[in-house]
Amino acid sequence: MTVAEARTDERVSAILVSLALACNNAGSYALSLVAARILVPSAFGELSSLLAVLVIGVVPAMGLQTVTALRVARKSDTSLMALGLTTAAIVAGLGLVLVPVLVLVLHLGSFVPALLLAATLGPLTLLGLFHGLLQGSRRFSVLAGLIALEGVGKVGGSLAGLLIAGNATGALAGTALGSLMVVTVSWVVCGKPRPVRGARVGEVLHTAQAMLALVLLVNLDLVLARHTLPAAVAGEYALGSIVTKIAYWLPQAVGVLVLPRFAHGGSRRRVLPIALLVCAGLDSVVLAVSLVLGPGLLTIIGGAGYAGSTMAVWPFALTGSMLALVQILLYARLADGDRRVTVLMWAAVVVEVVVVTAWLHGSAAQVVGVSACCVGGLALAGAYVEIRASGRGRA
């Protein structure tokens, strides 16, 4: 394959992965819209809270995918299936243990939804292994297909269960069955790998910690806004956070494509600046649109009810853009085995919580401003650590 053909193949892969991720996220939003119209408010609140727990519960899958992709890229491990099964069993077991807690905290009327949630965690965690196998071997077109299938299985199963049963339990039953279908297909696509002894879960747990901190940073300001701001302002803030997530998710394919290259130090040093520039370039579009349209963007997203809003939208776009850069830098440090990155991530979480709850919560601008500063500071710290590490590597 010539260099030009290789570059064309990479562009096609990037487009396919981007489309798959976009469709997956769009499906999740569609599920929320349909559920809001079918369920009564109390049932919709129950389903939304359980799906929010599911988002946190699949964080170990993200860690498993990252570790698997790096090990496959290095060709350094043959016990990956055992690693995936062990991690999935641990996560599912924890989910079962926490069922009574979920019932109590979320005020569920039955144990069944929480049990279905725990049953879903196992397959979704194991799915991270298969994604990592394809990512590490750079089979990006197949990976895009599985990501799309995941959206069909999870969201389609949830919608089917919701339409058939008309309640949160039915939706979660559909999610569990759809996830099991997807993980079965993924196992076949990846060559039906068999487990062997020698699973090392410690690296997955460390990576999952850092990924959990990233997930919290993506959603933390919205939770803090809901806690500290008046209800009407918090509603506007929720719309602004959609812009944050658009800016964060837009360059997601970049991280998927470059992670295997981060497995080797020399390649990482060459690819990382390019990856950061591509992310910045893509998100500059979101930032420019938010500056040009201003508060009018909230009307486009949320409808005429927000026509009178004067809330600036560009800080949300800036926060999402910084989060996208943080994710790339996080991948680079995890690939280098740098444990300091976990400390940096959690320090940013703690600072944001303390500053917003204790001082700067008088307006939406203050809350999003703190979030932007914390994430921006984290990006600068990550870049500084990477530059220092690269300097030592050359020496």
Side-chain angles (χ1 to χ4, degrees), residues 212-268:
L212 177 59
L214 179 62
V215 170
L216 288 176
L217 287 171
V218 173
N219 298 280
L220 184 59
D221 64 316
L222 179 58
V223 176
L224 293 173
R226 181 72 180 175
H227 177 67
T228 59
L229 298 176
V233 179
E236 289 186 358
Y237 197 100
L239 279 183
S241 70
I242 294 177
V243 179
T244 299
K245 290 178 175 59
I246 290 172
Y248 172 64
W249 281 107
L250 183 61
Q252 283 295 296
V254 178
V256 173
L257 295 175
V258 301
L259 179 61
R261 299 189 179 188
F262 286 171
H264 306 283
S267 179
R268 184 179 69 251

